Amino acid sequence: QDGPYRLRSASDAAWPGYSAAYSHRDTLWDRILIAFGVILSMILPVLALLASFAGLYLYRDTPASIFLGGIAGSWLTLGHLLVPVGFLCVHLTNRRYGPSFAFAQVIIATALIAGTIVFAGDIIRPYIPVDTMPTTREALAFGAAFFVSSFISIIAFEGARGAQWWTAPLFGFISAAIFFAAVFYPAAYYGTSGLWLDQGLLYMGLLAGEGLVLLIPYWMLRRMVPPLSGFGGY
């Protein structure tokens, strides 16, 4: 007498003829398999981001003043130029798995680095070149800048995902360039001597230009990193 809607959950579908259909309920084993699959799918993205961080760290003191006609001076290094590679890793993860996985990639990689420094710093310190070690302020400024800019770029990438393959990574790279430079330079150098504001603006433009160049490898990797269903093929 109460009809087919009595004591039905929101996941149940109504079918013609007033018959009730009950959806599949995931068992504990199903959820374990799903969680295991998520962990496996995150291994390669996290390793790729960690590799980009390692390259950035190793080349942070290698001058790259040949760029911009030498006007950048000795402050510009190859480490600066490798920062957008990390954003490329995040964009490819976002393309493949979506924004949740891309944000998790950034969190996991950051947590692994922080955990290694805290719990295994004394073990790895003898194997790290002393002259490449940044100050604590610079390290914290970089971590905060990359975290904020990655989060903003993930949102921009997802919002620009559409019929043109280049719109999402383009907006992602540009937003990452703006927010990374805007956060890093004041956090790392405010109150110090030097032309850090001019360097930050110059570096912001350089990052945006590198983002345009990195559209080429992004385009080349599109077939190797296809998006899962639900993202419209872009």
Side-chain angles (χ1 to χ4, degrees):
Q1 295 178 356
D2 294 330
Y5 293 97
R6 181 172 61 87
L7 300 178
R8 294 184 58 211
S9 65
S11 61
D12 295 331
W15 296 92
Y18 299 102
S19 62
Y22 296 93
S23 61
H24 171 70
R25 309 289 193 211
D26 289 337
T27 64
L28 177 60
W29 179 246
D30 292 332
R31 296 179 181 179
I32 293 175
L33 290 178
I34 293 173
F36 186 70
V38 170
I39 294 174
L40 288 179
S41 63
M42 289 300 300
I43 292 177
L44 184 58
V46 170
L47 289 179
L49 187 56
L50 289 176
S52 70
F53 286 160
L56 185 154
Y57 178 81
L58 292 175
Y59 290 99
R60 64 177 299 272
D61 282 339
T62 303
S65 57
I66 187 175
F67 289 87
L68 304 177
I71 62 176
S74 59
W75 64 270
L76 184 64
T77 67
L78 292 180
H80 288 92
L81 302 180
L82 290 175
V83 170
V85 178
F87 296 127
L88 175 63
C89 297
V90 176
H91 295 336
L92 290 174
T93 302
N94 201 352
R95 166 180 166 80
R96 172 65 176 172
Y97 298 112
S100 298
F101 276 73
F103 192 55
Q105 174 192 20
V106 176
I107 294 177
I108 294 173
T110 304
L112 287 175
I113 294 175
T116 302
I117 295 174
V118 172
F119 297 105
D122 295 336
I123 299 176
I124 65 174
R125 190 171 291 112
Y127 303 98
I128 298 177
V130 178
D131 56 348
T132 62
M133 294 186 66
T135 64
T136 302
R137 180 177 178 180
E138 288 178 336
L140 293 176
F142 173 82
F146 191 87
F147 188 87
V148 172
S149 57
S150 295
F151 180 72
I152 299 298
S153 68
I154 289 170
I155 297 176
F157 185 100
E158 188 65 18
R161 192 193 293 265
Q164 302 294 332
W165 68 266
W166 51 267
T167 55
L170 177 63
F171 279 91
F173 279 124
I174 292 177
S175 61
I178 294 173
F179 282 92
F180 182 86
V183 174
F184 175 72
Y185 276 89
Y189 304 114
Y190 179 78
T192 63
S193 60
L195 303 176
W196 62 266
L197 181 58
D198 295 338
Q199 294 174 2
L201 294 175
L202 190 63
Y203 186 52
M204 185 183 297
L206 181 61
L207 285 181
E210 282 191 85
L212 295 177
V213 175
L214 287 177
L215 289 178
I216 298 175
Y218 180 91
W219 173 77
M220 297 174 63
L221 292 171
R222 287 175 63 233
R223 292 187 180 274
M224 298 177 59
V225 190
L228 297 180
S229 60
F231 297 114
Y234 298 94

